[in-house]
Amino acid sequence: MTLDQLNSILGDEARDLLEHTCTKVPKAQLHLPSPAFLDDHFTFSNRNPQTLRSLAQLYNKGRLAGTGYVSILPIDQGIEHSAGASFAPNPMYFDPENIVRLAIEGGCNAVATTFGGLALMSRRYAHKIPFIVKINHNELLSYPNTYDQTMFGSVRDAWNLGAVAVGATIYFGSAESRRQIVEVSKAFEEAHELGMATILWCYLRNDAFKSGGKDYHVAADLTGQANHLGVTLQADIIKQKLPEINGGYKALNLGSSSYGKLDERMYTGLTTEHPIDWCRYQVLNCYSGRIGLINSGGASSGAGDLKEAVRTAVINKRAGGMGLISGRKAFQRPFEEGVQLLQAIQDVYLSPDIAIA
């Protein structure tokens, strides 16, 4: 992707996103993705040699191999969002082999999907692309719908089918989050013992986070704290939604309510109102970037998907993040278009014209 093409895709936002400088948290304060990232930040950690090898497999596959950046295809929406709703735009993805094929042909570092799908593809593909098994899910077939994460299999089963990593979600802020923290911490401990890497979806979930007509599930301050809890659980990579707002703690402390802890310098000394600074606050909460931050690609909106995906990648990269994990924008469109979208995301991380802010 040329700089002219990038400017055309970003449109009116191009200059603001490509020329912004982060002054509140300068890039010199961060540990940034690089070809030596694994050696610099995990070699002297408690991760055993097998886990280091698994991380190396993840970092060194696909078009971003050896850069320190990752592009992951996640397709687990069939569990929570229903398979029909997820795959109706492109029914070929009811077949898990096409999920793996999309990740390979799209040049991804890894594919993240369900136990059942990866188990069926194990002997055919586990040696061709790193597998990430999503070990827990929310499912919305139970009536009435509730929002919780349930383990769908064992860590050892993920290891047996050849996975290099396990992924899990915690709904931080929910009434069930403390049980989920215990479940995931035990699962991650076992995964590291078996030599697998760990990726945590650090999502927020509580109706109270929607306040005054605003959705603070994507607030920089609250998602940043979720990230900090995630790295405390020894996640090797953090997955988080891109911030769209800030001031979640403030909104939840209005009136007579009392929630969490905040310091005004979180908003005046560590961030501005710029989206790259919001994302940098997320990176800061990942041990200053020692644990990589990947942002999610979000839902498919149709014609605007390319711009949204490239915009998210630019913000993540310039903030100091490690990459993107994008699914629906790729698989809810014709196969070749999905490949092209994934590679457009990767082009952002390969471009020397897009520097850390």
Side-chain angles (χ1 to χ4, degrees), residues 12 38 55 65 143 230 248 296:
D12 293 342
L38 179 60
L55 283 166
Y143 186 89
S296 57

Side-chain angles (χ1 to χ4, degrees), residues 159-233:
W159 180 80
N160 281 331
L161 63 81
V164 304
V166 296
T169 298
I170 293 177
Y171 281 154
F172 290 108
S174 72
E176 298 80 15
S177 63
R178 291 184 177 177
R179 191 206 78 242
Q180 295 168 15
I181 288 170
V182 172
E183 290 176 350
V184 171
S185 66
K186 291 179 178 178
F188 279 9
E189 179 182 3
E190 184 178 5
H192 280 149
E193 287 176 352
L194 291 171
M196 289 186 288
T198 58
I199 303 174
L200 188 60
W201 277 238
C202 291
Y203 285 175
L204 302 178
R205 187 69 62 130
N206 194 307
D207 288 341
F209 292 166
K210 293 184 177 180
S211 176
K214 297 179 179 179
D215 188 355
Y216 293 100
H217 287 95
V218 286
D221 54 351
L222 298 183
T223 56
Q225 179 60 19
N227 289 359
H228 195 70
L229 296 178
V231 295
T232 303
L233 291 170

